[in-house]
């Protein structure tokens, strides 16, 4: 099937690290993406990782990829209240369309 | 360079009416994708178009839904005889190439009364 799975909620304290997990379905996906959606807004591409990499770091964001387990994670260091949003992982399983996960709602409290 | 534009941002229709959603891609982008987000769910692919051609419509419901991307003007997603289950946020994305990054618009939120 084409179900990309994520946990629904994550709550963290401001300043802590957040780790959002994703299990994708198709090992042929060339790129894997993380998008952020703020309330009432569209999607913003945060970062992506090429399938032949196992880690990518971009400022406060670290993406880890375990191809064997089809597991993708996004770590946000020093989480801020402005990071509160819904985070979607997405894969491109050999096609042009994006297959999105169910989304993880991140809530940051002071 | 303006981003992807969608209008209207909010659309209210009664059951049985038609909804027309518009998407203007970024300048220089000839590839357009439509996605639907039902309440509390992720985005689901609907259709992929390249100027005047439908490339992949595997996510489009078989009836009442159609999409076009004419040579001139925006891409249109048309929903005929809307039902309550069509209430959702509809997002458009554009890309400069078939496997390029997709840039998303702000979405159109359709409410069917």
């Amino acid at each position: 099937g084409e179900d990309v799975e994520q946990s629904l909620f994550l709550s963290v304290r401001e300043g802590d690290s957040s780790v959002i997990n994703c299990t994708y379905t198709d090992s042929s996906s060339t790129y894997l993406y993380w998008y952020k959606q703020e309330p009432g807004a569209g999607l913003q591409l945060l970062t992506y990782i090429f399938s032949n990499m196992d880690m990518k770091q971009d400022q406060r964001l670290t993406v880890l990829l375990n191809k064997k387990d089809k597991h993708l994670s996004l770590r946000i260091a020093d989480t801020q209240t402005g990071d509160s949003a819904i985070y979607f992982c997405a894969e491109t399983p050999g096609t042009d369309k994006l297959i999105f996960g169910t989304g993880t709602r991140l809530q940051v409290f002071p | 360079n303006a981003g992807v534009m969608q209008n209207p941002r909010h659309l209210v229709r009664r059951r049985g009416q038609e909804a027309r959603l518009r998407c203007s891609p970024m300048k220089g982008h000839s590839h357009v994708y439509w996605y639907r987000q039902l309440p509390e769910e992720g985005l689901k692919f609907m259709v992929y178009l390249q100027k005047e051609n439908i490339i992949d419509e595997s996510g489009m419901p078989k009836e009442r839904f159609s999409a076009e991307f004419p040579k001139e003007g925006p891409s249109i997603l048309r929903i005929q005889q809307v039902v309550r289950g069509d209430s959702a946020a509809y997002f458009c994305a554009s890309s400069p190439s078939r496997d390029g990054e997709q840039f998303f618009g702000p979405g159109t939120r359709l409410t069917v009364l």
Side-chain angles (χ1 to χ4, degrees):
Chain A
E2 290 190 336
D3 290 336
V4 179
E5 296 184 353
Q6 299 179 238
S7 51
L8 290 180
F9 298 101
L10 178 64
S11 183
V12 299
R13 191 180 297 277
E14 192 174 17
D16 287 351
S17 292
S18 308
V19 179
I20 301 171
N21 295 303
C22 169
T23 302
Y24 61 97
T25 62
D26 197 317
S27 55
S28 69
S29 291
T30 306
Y31 291 96
L32 294 138
Y33 300 86
W34 282 103
Y35 284 85
K36 177 183 181 183
Q37 183 181 35
E38 296 184 78
L43 273 73
Q44 173 194 355
L45 177 64
L46 283 179
T47 187
Y48 64 91
I49 188 166
F50 190 53
S51 60
N52 70 353
M53 299 169 65
D54 37 22
M55 187 182 90
K56 179 179 179 181
Q57 187 151 3
D58 184 0
Q59 300 182 340
R60 291 191 299 125
L61 305 177
T62 302
V63 179
L64 295 178
L65 174 60
N66 180 332
K67 283 194 73 174
K68 176 175 169 290
D69 295 336
K70 296 181 192 169
H71 186 262
L72 182 72
S73 68
L74 174 70
R75 178 177 179 269
I76 307 173
D78 187 24
T79 313
Q80 303 297 307
T81 53
D83 294 325
S84 293
I86 302 175
Y87 291 79
F88 293 96
C89 62
E91 61 174 343
T92 51
T95 65
D96 310 299
K97 61 192 177 190
L98 290 165
I99 306 296
F100 285 90
T102 47
T104 299
R105 186 179 297 271
L106 173 65
Q107 184 173 19
V108 183
F109 59 93
Chain B
N1 187 6
V4 177
M5 298 173 67
Q6 290 186 251
N7 67 82
R9 293 293 306 277
H10 300 272
L11 182 61
V12 179
R13 285 287 177 265
R14 295 190 182 280
R15 280 180 298 171
Q17 290 184 319
E18 179 180 289
R20 291 170 72 90
L21 288 62
R22 294 174 188 78
C23 169
S24 296
M26 288 178 68
K27 188 176 179 181
H29 288 194
S30 59
H31 300 254
V32 165
Y33 306 79
W34 285 93
Y35 294 85
R36 176 166 66 174
Q37 184 178 31
L38 294 170
E40 305 299 319
E41 292 189 14
L43 279 75
K44 302 289 187 190
F45 168 80
M46 298 182 76
V47 62
Y48 162 40
L49 308 104
Q50 187 184 2
K51 279 292 184 181
E52 301 184 90
N53 293 303
I54 296 175
I55 308 299
D56 180 352
E57 57 181 346
S58 59
M60 286 279 269
K62 294 289 184 283
E63 298 176 347
R64 303 188 297 109
F65 285 71
S66 62
E68 62 177 13
F69 188 16
K71 189 176 179 182
E72 301 291 337
S75 175
I76 306 285
L77 180 68
R78 182 179 176 213
I79 311 172
Q80 295 178 288
Q81 299 174 318
V82 295
V83 300
R84 288 216 175 104
D86 297 332
S87 295
Y90 291 83
F91 291 95
C92 163
S94 75
S95 176
S97 62
R98 185 160 190 149
D99 55 359
E101 179 183 341
Q102 295 182 27
F103 294 82
F104 281 81
T108 294
R109 279 154 182 82
L110 172 65
T111 302
V112 179
L113 302 177

